[in-house]
Amino acid sequence: MSNCPCGNDITYADCCQPIITGVRPAETAEQLMRARYSAYVHAEMDFIFDSTHPDHRQGYDHAGTREWAETSEWHGLKIIDTAKGGPDDSIGEVEFVASFTEKGTAREHHECARFKRKEGKWLFTEGTMVKQKPLAVVKVGRNDPCTCGSGLKHKKCCGK
């Protein structure tokens, strides 16, 4: 048996499938996030719609989302951070990166997803794309070692 697509080290049948099929609810926002990722992998669009808060369903394209999920090749989910979203919380936030290939192009979807409880059930409300942080510029002096690792001084190597 293979591990769950969400990245947990247990089977799909023991991890996300019971949440997707309604056998048991997600206990945390992170569990719901993982189940939603697995639902995209298995093209379970009814779960994606049903696990979205009713106030945030406008514009949802069921057929288009299904086509995208089915034609994409899913590579993995990485949870970066969580804020709140525990069993006793009413709101939560999960930062994640979903890796996939779409039309032959490798992609990463980096998002900060927000969740809210409604009638005791975790629901996705909205997500914000996480922008790549700018690279830090390191100033290298002429007599400093070269950053290429040659062992020469910068002025005698790449600093010419």
Side-chain angles (χ1 to χ4, degrees), residues 4-141:
C4 190
C6 79
N8 277 335
D9 204 18
I10 56 177
T11 66
Y12 175 65
D14 292 329
C15 188
C16 290
Q17 188 177 32
I19 296 170
I20 293 169
T21 58
V23 171
R24 67 176 166 84
E27 295 176 17
T28 66
E30 182 179 333
Q31 280 183 352
L32 181 60
M33 179 64 247
R34 288 180 179 279
R36 286 175 59 88
Y37 174 82
S38 293
Y40 278 108
V41 172
H42 291 281
E44 296 282 354
M45 299 302 99
D46 289 340
F47 177 76
I48 296 297
F49 182 79
D50 293 341
S51 65
T52 301
H53 194 284
D55 295 345
H56 297 270
R57 292 178 180 166
Q58 63 275 10
Y60 177 77
D61 177 4
H62 200 77
T65 303
R66 175 179 298 285
E67 180 182 343
W68 174 72
E70 289 176 340
T71 59
S72 295
E73 181 182 342
W74 299 92
H75 304 298
L77 175 70
K78 181 178 178 185
I79 302 296
I80 306 296
D81 194 20
T82 59
K84 298 188 180 182
D88 298 324
D89 294 319
S90 59
I91 59 169
E93 198 169 90
V94 180
E95 182 181 347
F96 69 93
V97 177
S99 303
F100 60 99
T101 300
E102 179 183 21
K103 297 178 183 173
T105 303
R107 301 191 183 276
E108 284 192 340
H109 180 85
H110 189 172
E111 179 179 304
C112 190
R114 286 180 269 304
F115 299 86
K116 183 187 272 187
R117 274 196 201 268
K118 181 176 180 168
E119 299 171 2
K121 182 179 175 183
W122 281 110
L123 297 168
F124 169 76
T125 58
E126 59 189 335
T128 306
M129 295 299 293
V130 176
K131 295 178 182 173
Q132 188 174 17
K133 294 180 174 126
L135 297 174
V137 177
V138 178
K139 185 163 170 93
V140 180

